[in-house]
Amino acid sequence: MSAVTDTAPAPRAPQPRGGLSQSVTDSLVIAKRNLIRMARIPEMVIFGLIQPVMFVVLFSYVFGGSMSIGGSLDPERYREFLMAGIFAQTVTFATAGAGAGIADDMHKGLVDRFRSLPMARGAVLTGRTLADLVQTALTVVVLAVVGLLVGWRVHEGILKALGAFALLLFLGYAFSWIGALIGLSVRTPEAATSGGLIWLFPVTFVSNAFVDPTMMASWIRPIAEWNPFSATVQACRELFGNPGVVQSDAWPMQHPVLASLLWSALIIVVFRTLAVRKYRSASI
């Protein structure tokens, strides 16, 4: 007499649900989770607000009297010139925080727990970047108030100003995908923070954010004018009606709004694809 043994099939890993609507739902769930976490740790938001406010005050009152804008050394004119650059710098510097947050989730094993659930693979990263976008928008609002206090003004109406802020947030969201890729590529949050900042300094300073590119060396001026960061700054100055709009033959400087949209869209397409691919391979 022989015994027959039934072998139970091995459990299958949960399969991610498909469909655009499901991906959107999963992304919003992750975004909500990250926003709740930010609310429970308010110092994350507070420290994120302090740095850009310090930049506004320091650049306005330390360098304002020594910077020539359109041949004038007027400090008030420089403050209006400055704010578009500070806005753009603030939304792009949020990249470092996005990378550090994703690296921290990876380090703690949270991403592996998300991976065990039947959810869209890109939702974890999309939700994280959306939550960072909300925090960035809050920072921009506070920064605008500080700018008004130091003398910055909008001269082209509220609709164009809202368009400028939309371009800024679009740029910030695009750069957050670069931060996501960096966060997935390093082992610790500290390394993600360093890696997220080291490349941002040349991007923001080799631009039209703080000085007129016509004052730069001839070999570096084209780099500044074709910098995606510069296109957004130029567009914001036009839409705000602020001084310092660069007169240049470079296409991005002649069509800054369109150039800003195209650059940001291209960055999102490229780096979201790379980040999602890295997420899948890093989580296996």
Side-chain angles (χ1 to χ4, degrees):
M1 184 176 180
S2 61
V4 178
T5 304
D6 293 329
T7 303
R12 288 196 232 174
Q15 296 298 313
R17 293 170 290 184
L20 178 60
S21 62
Q22 188 59 54
S23 179
V24 170
T25 300
D26 292 342
S27 298
L28 292 177
V29 169
I30 298 297
K32 181 180 178 181
R33 172 255 174 192
N34 283 285
L35 289 173
I36 292 173
R37 182 170 178 265
M38 290 177 188
R40 290 176 177 173
I41 312 176
E43 55 266 30
M44 292 173 59
V45 179
I46 293 172
F47 289 138
L49 293 173
I50 291 174
Q51 180 179 316
V53 170
M54 287 178 60
F55 270 112
V56 172
V57 175
L58 290 175
F59 273 84
S60 296
Y61 294 103
V62 175
F63 300 110
S66 60
M67 294 291 188
S68 175
I69 304 300
S72 172
L73 289 175
D74 185 357
E76 293 184 5
R77 185 175 175 82
Y78 180 71
R79 287 170 200 151
E80 290 211 336
F81 167 85
L82 173 70
M83 284 308 300
I86 293 291
F87 281 130
Q89 183 193 54
T90 299
V91 300
T92 53
F93 269 44
T95 300
I102 290 174
D104 187 50
D105 287 344
M106 291 283 291
H107 184 68
K108 292 178 178 178
L110 185 62
V111 169
D112 290 333
R113 277 176 260 166
F114 282 136
R115 189 172 181 271
S116 68
L117 301 174
M119 62 190 303
R121 288 288 181 253
V124 173
L125 300 180
T126 302
R128 175 78 206 196
T129 53
L130 288 175
D132 290 329
L133 180 63
V134 173
Q135 182 177 356
T136 300
L138 175 62
T139 304
V140 167
V141 170
V142 174
L143 196 57
V145 173
V146 175
L148 292 171
L149 293 176
V150 300
W152 170 69
R153 294 293 183 269
V154 171
H155 303 286
E156 294 293 331
I158 187 65
L159 291 179
K160 286 189 176 182
L162 291 175
F165 286 122
L167 288 178
L168 288 165
L169 293 177
F170 193 35
L171 178 71
Y173 182 69
F175 272 53
S176 69
W177 282 104
I178 302 178
L181 180 61
I182 292 173
L184 291 168
S185 302
V186 298
R187 296 183 179 181
T188 64
E190 294 78 11
T193 301
S194 299
L197 287 175
I198 194 169
W199 63 274
L200 280 171
F201 280 101
V203 167
T204 54
F205 282 93
V206 184
S207 73
N208 59 354
F210 306 113
V211 296
D212 188 336
T214 59
M215 302 172 64
M216 298 179 181
S218 59
W219 65 270
I220 203 172
R221 181 178 175 181
I223 299 174
E225 292 176 338
W226 282 87
N227 184 344
F229 185 86
S230 293
T232 300
V233 173
Q234 176 95 331
C236 288
R237 287 189 180 128
E238 283 192 1
L239 295 172
F240 289 144
N242 292 156
V245 175
V246 177
Q247 302 302 317
S248 169
D249 293 332
W251 186 84
M253 296 295 98
Q254 293 181 348
H255 310 277
V257 174
L258 179 58
S260 176
L261 290 170
L262 291 176
W263 273 122
S264 296
L266 178 63
I267 291 170
I268 290 174
V269 170
V270 172
F271 284 93
R272 187 184 189 279
T273 301
L274 293 175
V276 172
R277 184 177 299 171
K278 182 70 176 178
Y279 169 79
R280 288 173 175 170
S281 62
S283 303
I284 295 176

